[in-house]
Amino acid sequence: MQKKLTLGFFFTLFLFTTFLPIAWMFGNSIYEEGKFSFAYYKDIFLTQKYGKVISNSLILASVTTIVSSFIGVPAGLFLAKTRLPLKKYFKICFFIPLVVPSYIIGIAWVNLLGKTGFLNNVLSQYTFLSPESVSNFIYSIYGASFILSINLFPVVMLITEYALKNINPRLEESGLVVGSVFQVFRQITLPLIAPAILSGMMIVFVLSLSEFGVPSLLQVNVLTTQIFTQFSAFYNEKAATAIAFPLIAITLVLIILEQIYLRGKSFEILGRTSSNSTIQYNITWLKVVGIIFCSLVLIICVIIPLSTLIFNTKTTSAYRDAVLLARNGITNSILFGSIGATLLTFIGFFLGYLSENIRSRLKNSTAAFIWIFFAVPATVSGIGLIKLWNRPEGACQFIYSSLWIVILGYGARFLPLSSRIIANYLKQIPHAMEEAGTVTGASWFRILGKILLPLQGYGLIATWLISFMFCIGELGTTILVYPPGHETLPIALFTVMANSPTEVVSALSIVIVVMTLLPVGIFLAVSRYLVKLPQLTF
């Protein structure tokens, strides 16, 4: 009974935080002047008014997915299957673009390829390209796709590497007896990891489809920027809600298609942990190609953007000016991020337990239902929170005019992510441990405090740090809901961009990079420390 009531409470809290604002927003969009009206949806589906915007969004997501896959799949292959020198450092560096907010990478490449950018000048002098053509590229759908591919290719890379390391080595060994490495990879390895690659591509597609920061920075007219414009410029939340409908519909269709594709298929892998006996191809030329490929990816995706931001600051006074301009935003980001990460970790633990440890026919459906809200665009979550909480009543007004509306925004955006991380760590705990506690007559709360939480120490720390990192960089929801005086660092950055010189913008971007990378450094340090700890015994 304790378990059911507790998990029911936190699932209700999840619905209240994520589902209710969106449902309220869509319900309000079809009810006008005391009757139901679908006028705004007719504009989308029965006219050509938003056809270009929808096609722009699909092109952006499709190109980003293709380019991310062309980078991520080979990178994952080289990291998993070859003996690259400095392999661990390559992997850590490739993780940086995923951690750093996408709009920071966008600012760096705009500084390089804009009309007065250094790389633009070089290309216009030594190639047939004109400064206008280079600048037009970066301020286009394809420029946005290029930046988002840099930001999201680590998703495909990590999933591909994990899948390759979990393949049963006996299958590949059997193939190598009668065939070449290429035959084994094409006929055995690739079919086995295809579902993982497909999942990675779907995640990239959905995330790029719902991206707001980069299209807003580059002034690309896609669904997310159109939603923001309709709401913030024209105060037409009904039109903004109707425009959000295709994004939700496309996401649902993709998840359903993935489930249909994977239904009934069986894939032979090792299980939950990667194998130490993973077959690696000790081929000299393959290793050389891997070094060249990974070095180019490192230069384009990490070294060039970060170096550009550092060199553009020019003087230390730029950092001082940036901190003075964004002092309130820095303080708020640290405070809001800490509170948000703590609540995300606490609630995410119970949601992760619900989606992983509850033995029920609805287990997979519950996990999919929770995860789908991670694909909801940030601007949609922001409008939903405004429609639900912007009321004159006491409690609603207190939340709407305080930091708690920002915290609710973090919950709406990242509760699915925190619960998914916890669920993956819970997979490593055998069900027998909890059952042993039940046999001794211990209550579920006692099992929770004495068995599950101690065993989840590493997972809880990882979830908190990752949640803090995402809260620090969150823009799309916060920019809509934050009350006066409660602006966060990303909002301060977008404000500074309109009123300050390039060196100050670059300096503030570096501050955000440091604040987002710091949790990663802490996580790596804690990981190394915890690995040395003796295993718990019972």
Side-chain angles (χ1 to χ4, degrees):
M1 182 60 71
Q2 289 178 342
K3 181 192 292 190
K4 290 182 179 179
L5 289 176
T6 303
L7 296 179
F9 170 78
F10 282 102
F11 187 70
T12 303
L13 187 62
F14 170 77
L15 293 177
F16 185 77
T17 305
T18 58
F19 176 73
L20 183 59
I22 296 172
W24 194 282
M25 179 182 66
F26 277 105
N28 185 71
S29 68
I30 61 174
Y31 192 76
E32 190 172 20
E33 297 179 356
K35 60 181 180 180
F36 289 102
S37 173
F38 294 91
Y40 297 102
Y41 293 89
K42 291 178 181 178
D43 279 347
I44 296 174
F45 297 105
L46 300 180
T47 69
Q48 299 294 322
K49 188 174 180 180
Y50 293 103
K52 182 65 174 176
V53 179
I54 295 174
S55 65
N56 284 348
S57 295
L58 293 174
I59 292 171
L60 174 66
S62 300
V63 174
T64 300
T65 302
I66 293 170
V67 176
S68 297
S69 301
F70 275 122
I71 301 173
V73 173
L77 172 64
F78 289 127
L79 291 176
K81 290 294 187 179
T82 62
R83 300 183 184 276
L84 288 181
L86 305 176
K87 180 189 294 187
K88 292 183 179 179
Y89 296 99
F90 273 125
K91 185 175 180 179
I92 292 172
C93 291
F94 289 165
F95 189 66
I96 291 175
L98 182 63
V99 175
V100 175
S102 57
Y103 51 83
I104 298 295
I105 300 174
I107 290 172
W109 278 101
V110 165
N111 290 340
L112 276 173
L113 298 178
K115 290 183 178 180
T116 59
F118 168 76
L119 190 56
N120 191 338
N121 293 331
V122 172
L123 291 173
S124 61
Q125 288 180 10
Y126 298 100
T127 68
F128 61 88
L129 298 173
S130 65
E132 290 76 16
S133 63
V134 176
S135 178
N136 290 338
F137 165 77
I138 198 63
Y139 282 99
S140 69
I141 295 175
Y142 301 103
S145 298
F146 169 70
I147 293 168
L148 287 176
S149 299
I150 292 175
N151 178 241
L152 295 174
F153 88 87
V155 173
V156 181
M157 179 199 75
L158 292 171
I159 291 176
T160 302
E161 183 197 12
Y162 180 82
L164 286 167
K165 287 184 175 181
N166 277 275
I167 293 176
N168 191 328
R170 291 174 297 178
L171 298 174
E172 293 179 301
E173 289 170 353
S174 301
L176 289 172
V177 172
V178 297
S180 66
V181 169
F182 291 106
Q183 289 176 315
V184 170
F185 182 78
R186 181 173 59 85
Q187 298 179 11
I188 298 176
T189 307
L190 189 58
L192 287 173
I193 65 173
I197 294 175
L198 176 66
S199 297
M201 293 176 67
M202 190 196 74
I203 292 172
V204 170
F205 187 93
V206 170
L207 289 178
S208 53
L209 190 69
S210 61
E211 171 67 23
F212 169 75
V214 171
S216 175
L217 173 70
L218 301 180
Q219 302 172 18
V220 176
N221 191 20
V222 293
L223 285 169
T224 51
T225 55
Q226 189 65 225
I227 292 169
F228 181 81
T229 301
Q230 287 291 338
F231 186 81
S232 62
F234 302 116
Y235 304 103
N236 192 345
E237 76 277 359
K238 296 182 186 294
T241 303
I243 296 170
F245 184 81
L247 288 174
I248 306 296
I250 292 170
T251 302
L252 286 171
V253 169
L254 285 173
I255 291 177
I256 292 171
L257 290 176
E258 184 194 32
Q259 294 297 320
I260 293 173
Y261 173 76
L262 296 178
R263 184 180 301 164
K265 290 184 170 62
S266 176
F267 303 96
E268 177 80 19
I269 61 174
L270 282 172
R272 294 173 177 177
T273 58
S274 60
S275 171
N276 294 325
S277 60
T278 300
I279 291 178
Q280 295 196 334
Y281 305 135
N282 193 19
I283 304 173
T284 302
W285 71 264
L286 188 61
K287 186 188 299 184
V288 172
V289 172
I291 293 172
I292 295 173
F293 179 84
C294 291
S295 299
L296 287 175
V297 173
L298 178 65
I299 291 170
I300 294 172
C301 299
V302 181
I303 294 177
I304 289 179
L306 295 183
S307 300
T308 300
L309 294 175
I310 293 172
F311 291 144
N312 278 346
T313 55
K314 297 178 181 178
T315 62
T316 55
S317 61
Y319 290 98
R320 184 186 68 248
D321 294 340
V323 171
L324 289 175
L325 286 171
R327 181 170 50 192
N328 193 39
I330 294 173
T331 304
N332 287 340
S333 288
I334 295 173
L335 174 62
F336 298 173
S338 300
I339 296 173
T342 302
L343 292 176
L344 287 169
T345 303
F346 181 71
I347 301 173
F349 174 84
F350 292 98
L351 292 176
Y353 183 94
L354 177 65
S355 61
E356 178 59 31
N357 281 24
I358 293 298
R359 298 179 181 179
S360 166
R361 293 181 180 179
L362 298 177
K363 176 181 175 179
N364 292 333
S365 300
T366 302
F369 177 77
I370 292 174
W371 180 241
I372 194 175
F373 286 95
F374 185 60
V376 174
T379 47
V380 175
S381 298
I383 295 172
L385 289 170
I386 291 172
K387 292 301 299 179
L388 183 63
W389 292 102
N390 186 16
R391 302 175 184 281
E393 292 83 0
C396 291
Q397 190 58 35
F398 169 75
I399 291 174
Y400 186 72
S401 61
S402 67
L403 64 90
W404 295 109
I405 191 65
V406 179
I407 304 301
L408 282 173
Y410 292 158
R413 291 284 293 123
F414 304 126
L415 265 178
L417 176 65
S418 65
S419 66
R420 188 67 168 252
I421 296 171
I422 290 289
N424 288 333
Y425 279 102
L426 284 170
K427 289 179 181 179
Q428 302 173 14
I429 301 177
H431 291 292
M433 288 193 168
E434 185 177 350
E435 292 170 354
T438 304
V439 169
T440 62
S443 67
W444 187 67
F445 287 144
R446 187 170 180 81
I447 295 172
L448 200 66
K450 295 294 184 180
I451 299 177
L452 297 180
L453 288 176
L455 288 172
Q456 278 296 294
Y458 182 81
L460 293 173
I461 293 172
T463 303
W464 192 95
L465 290 171
I466 293 172
S467 298
F468 179 81
M469 175 184 70
F470 274 93
C471 290
I472 287 290
E474 208 290 318
L475 173 67
T477 299
T478 311
I479 199 171
L480 285 170
V481 303
Y482 80 97
H486 293 77
E487 66 275 6
T488 57
L489 191 51
I491 296 171
L493 173 63
F494 267 65
T495 304
V496 166
M497 286 173 58
N499 305 302
S500 300
T502 302
E503 56 264 27
V504 176
V505 175
S506 298
L508 191 54
S509 299
I510 290 294
V511 172
I512 296 178
V513 170
V514 172
M515 290 181 66
T516 51
L517 290 182
L518 188 60
V520 178
I522 295 173
F523 175 66
L524 293 175
V526 170
S527 300
R528 181 170 298 183
Y529 170 74
L530 288 178
V531 167
K532 296 179 181 178
L533 291 179
Q535 295 293 322
L536 294 173
T537 57
F538 294 90

